[in-house]
Structure formats: C-alpha cells, structure tokens
Amino acid sequence: MRRITWVLTMVIAFSMLLAACGTKNSADVVKDLDQVVTKMESYEGTGTMTLHTGEKPQEYRVEVWYQNPSYYRIALTNAQKDVTQIVLRNDQGVYVLTPSLNKSFRFQSDWPENQGQVYLYQTLVRSILNDTSRQFVDDKDSYVFDVAANYNTQTLVRQKIWLNKKDYAPKQVQVSDSSANVVVEVKFDKFKFDAGFDKKSFDMQQNLKNASTPNSKGTILEVDENGQLVEKTPDQNQAADASKSTKDTTAEPGDKDNKAAGDSAKLPALSETFGVIMPTYLPEGVAKKEEKVVEGSENSAVLLRYDGTYQYTLTEGRAADRSVSLAANGQVIDLGFTWGYLTGSDQETQNLAWTVDGLEFNLTSNNLPANEMIKIAASMQDQPGK
C-alpha cells in the first residue's frame, strides 16, 4: 500500500514538473518578444480596425507590410465607402497616397519611429517592453498584456494586447480612454512573419498606379531650396513651376452669432458643390468668427475662421485630380480614419492637412497645439455635409 502511494506521489510530482516546464511567465514572454522584434526581417498582416469615437462604430480594413530595416506600407480602407489611402515609407521618404485621386504627398520624416501606430507590430512590442508595470495574463492560446498606451493623443491611456502563444503574432488590440472605454480596436485575421516582398512593393509610383486608373501618370510637386513649388514628371524630369496664384472672393458672411460647434450656415454655390463639414469639437474659449468662399482658378473652397483662446482657420474643398508630392519636413499623423500630415512647429505656423472622400482639409494656426488640431480633425469624422 505504501509502495502504491509512493508511486502515485511521484507520478503527480512528475506531471506537475512537466506542466511547469511548458508555462511561461511575463518575464519569459518579454524576453522572447525582445528577441523576436530584434531578429525580425519582415511581416504582413491584415485585419479590421474599429473606431468607437462617433455616434456609431466605424470600421476600416487595415493591411500592413514591413521589410527590414525601414520599409513600410499601410493601406487603410473605409469599409462603408470603399475608399483607400496608403502610407508608404521607402528610401525616398514617407508618402501619403490617395490612389482614387491619383494624389500623393511626400515628407522627409522619421515616421513611424517618432510616432507609434496601433496596427504596427514594433509599436505594440515596444509598449510591452517599456512598461515595467505591465499586467500579464495567460489566457488559453494567447498571452494578454495590459500596458500604457503611447500614442499621439492624450485621449488614449491604456491598451490590451493579445499575442498568439505559438509565434507571438498579434491577434487583437484594444485601446481605452481614462474611463476604460474602448476607443480603438484592431482584430487581425492574418499575420505572417518572414513575408516575401519584391523591390516594387514599396515603390510610390507602383502603389499609386496599381490602385488608381491604369493610364494616369499625374505630376509630382516638390519644394526647391527657396521653398518654391517645382513641378516634375514621375521620372523626375523638371517641368514648369506649377504654383498658381489665386484670387479670394468673399461672399456674404455666414453665421456670425458664434453658434456652438456643429452648427453650419448655407454658403453660396461652389464650382463643385459639396456639403460643408463642421467640427463638433472646439477648444475651450474658442468660437467660430467667419465663413466665406474662396474661389481659386481650379477648385473652390470654404474657409472657416475661429477666434478666442486660439486663432486658426479651417479650409475644405474639392481635391485636385492630380498626383501631388510636397517634399517638406513634417510628420505623418494617424487620425484613425485617415492620415494627416503636419508641417511647421510650435514656434511657427503649423498646418494639419488631410483628405477624406475627395475633400481636402487644411487646419492652420500660429498658436493652436498639435493635440488640439488632432481633436478638431477627429471630430469631423463621418460628419454629414451641411
């Protein structure tokens, strides 16, 4: 009897030892993640990103390509409107492409090293490695980390990251605000390490051509040493200066009674009519001061002027049907629903520009902080034109 009891005890102890050998704690996983991201050569991932920032959730398809050391391609498609934008990084710089308009902007930028993105594997792993107060859960086939969110906004505070136990591929990410409400959620349906890409995968012209009209070539505008726009063809042969002067025409002033954000006024007809989109967020102490139509040589635009604690202007108009690349020092800003491009600095005029559904938006100010610019732009997401 004693022998049977002794054998049974040894079997149980050996089983527990085997189970323990197959279990990893937080430190083990963090060490593995550091090695994975250090040795990583490439990856390809697709998934669905959901924004819970408006009256109803907005879904976007996300496709991410990465090639060591610093090539990136992210395609963001509005699931409801089937409109795609692409952010691309290669040896020439960082591009924001809008293929449906045959349009691109180019920047000399450190993106994404200077700014994290919720759908980039490096960003997720870095947030886990850097948070020494990280929380860890072993959940069936996933390792789950709860860590601080480090994105270009004060709204996003915490994030939960689900990683596949087999290869540490991302499965899901939930980013929450200070009230623990999920604001951004990404669910990956595919993620593959050591993905194969050819040399054209990160080429600007190739990406623009593949996703736009087959025969459109467009033009590329760059800035010379004097800050003047110089037009070039796609093969970089210099052409004539493409900058054109415009003439401002002021229509009857719109609503001047400083209505709350979200109100709008009826404006005169434009050459290509569209509904004017008003921001639903205004910084404290700011009110709308003026609305007017600015008619240029090609497309008309609406100018909204705001005054108070901060002074800034917001213009919106039809995007020109051409490929434009503005070579400028700036940064790509992830607005969630699209990418913006921020130029300037806190010591000079800053401009945040973005394109949505064929409309171009420009937010310009001498004293409006970048985080406030982002809030204003985000508040215009999926707003109906008035």
Side-chain angles (χ1 to χ4, degrees):
M1 185 68 180
R2 290 181 179 179
R3 181 177 179 82
I4 295 175
T5 303
W6 181 83
V7 172
L8 182 61
T9 301
M10 291 299 295
V11 169
I12 294 174
F14 187 67
S15 298
M16 292 177 64
L17 180 62
L18 289 178
C21 291
T23 302
K24 292 187 176 182
N25 58 26
S26 176
D28 295 329
V29 177
V30 168
K31 183 179 179 180
D32 289 346
L33 286 174
D34 191 17
Q35 294 179 355
V36 168
V37 78
T38 300
K39 298 178 180 179
M40 184 172 62
E41 288 297 320
S42 65
Y43 64 77
E44 177 182 3
T46 59
T48 300
M49 180 174 67
T50 305
L51 303 182
H52 302 275
T53 54
E55 295 181 358
K56 58 181 180 179
Q58 296 293 312
E59 288 191 355
Y60 299 83
R61 289 294 298 168
V62 179
E63 182 180 43
V64 184
W65 297 353
Y66 166 76
Q67 177 70 55
N68 188 50
S70 57
Y71 288 1
Y72 293 88
R73 178 191 182 275
I74 298 106
L76 189 65
T77 302
N78 186 311
Q80 288 80 21
K81 301 176 182 179
D82 194 28
V83 177
T84 299
Q85 280 195 310
I86 298 171
V87 63
L88 191 72
R89 176 173 176 175
N90 56 27
D91 291 335
Q92 287 69 50
V94 177
Y95 294 87
V96 177
L97 313 179
T98 307
S100 61
L101 299 174
N102 191 30
K103 185 167 188 173
S104 68
F105 282 84
R106 188 177 77 172
F107 293 87
Q108 298 302 322
S109 171
D110 291 331
W111 181 92
E113 276 69 23
N114 61 355
Q115 181 187 153
Q117 250 74 27
V118 67
Y119 35 74
L120 293 182
Y121 186 70
Q122 295 93 321
T123 299
L124 299 177
V125 172
R126 192 179 300 120
S127 66
I128 294 172
L129 299 180
N130 293 340
D131 190 350
T132 56
S133 61
R134 67 183 78 90
Q135 299 176 27
F136 172 80
V137 175
D138 186 329
D139 182 24
K140 297 181 181 179
D141 59 349
S142 301
Y143 294 122
V144 185
F145 284 92
D146 189 327
V147 296
N150 185 23
Y151 299 106
N152 195 27
T153 173
Q154 298 176 350
T155 305
L156 305 178
V157 178
R158 302 288 299 179
Q159 60 183 344
K160 292 182 68 174
I161 303 168
W162 283 259
L163 301 175
N164 191 311
K165 282 187 177 181
K166 293 181 179 180
D167 58 1
Y168 298 118
K171 298 175 64 178
Q172 183 179 355
V173 186
Q174 290 182 346
V175 191
S176 305
D177 60 18
S178 57
S179 300
N181 298 313
V182 176
V183 179
V184 182
E185 183 176 20
V186 178
K187 292 183 178 180
F188 291 92
D189 49 51
K190 174 185 174 182
F191 196 93
K192 178 183 178 182
F193 291 105
D194 298 322
F197 302 108
D198 58 38
K199 62 181 181 180
K200 292 186 178 180
S201 297
F202 303 93
D203 179 76
M204 188 278 288
Q205 289 290 346
Q206 190 68 28
N207 276 275
L208 199 61
K209 179 181 178 182
N210 288 347
S212 61
T213 55
N215 297 321
S216 65
K217 296 181 179 180
T219 59
I220 298 177
L221 296 187
E222 296 186 1
V223 177
D224 63 18
E225 64 275 10
N226 299 316
Q228 299 298 314
L229 289 175
V230 178
E231 183 176 2
K232 294 184 179 182
T233 58
D235 62 359
Q236 301 303 303
N237 291 324
Q238 185 168 344
D241 193 327
S243 58
K244 296 182 180 180
S245 61
T246 61
K247 180 180 180 181
D248 293 356
T249 302
T250 305
E252 291 185 8
D255 188 11
K256 286 192 174 183
D257 59 357
N258 293 331
K259 291 184 179 180
D263 287 354
S264 63
K266 297 296 182 180
L267 297 171
L270 306 176
S271 59
E272 293 184 68
T273 59
F274 60 91
V276 180
I277 299 175
M278 296 290 184
T280 58
Y281 169 80
L282 292 182
E284 185 176 355
V286 171
K288 184 178 62 181
K289 180 181 179 181
E290 181 184 17
E291 298 180 22
K292 67 178 183 179
V293 171
V294 180
E295 295 185 354
S297 58
E298 292 185 3
N299 295 326
S300 295
V302 174
L303 183 147
L304 309 174
R305 194 182 305 277
Y306 295 84
D307 201 355
T309 307
Y310 306 109
Q311 298 78 44
Y312 58 89
T313 60
L314 174 64
T315 60
E316 52 189 273
R318 290 291 182 188
D321 185 17
R322 63 183 180 183
S323 175
V324 178
S325 176
L326 185 61
N329 291 323
Q331 57 180 312
V332 179
I333 302 294
D334 185 359
L335 299 176
F337 59 97
T338 188
W339 288 285
Y341 16 100
L342 180 67
T343 56
S345 67
D346 293 336
Q347 288 74 40
E348 59 186 32
T349 300
Q350 289 193 115
N351 184 78
L352 176 63
W354 68 98
T355 303
V356 176
D357 298 338
L359 291 178
E360 277 188 330
F361 298 86
N362 281 272
L363 183 58
T364 305
S365 176
N366 290 320
N367 62 355
L368 184 64
N371 65 314
E372 292 288 347
M373 286 185 161
I374 294 171
K375 289 181 181 179
I376 293 170
S379 76
M380 301 175 70
Q381 174 208 354
D382 203 43
Q383 293 297 318
K386 304 296 185 181

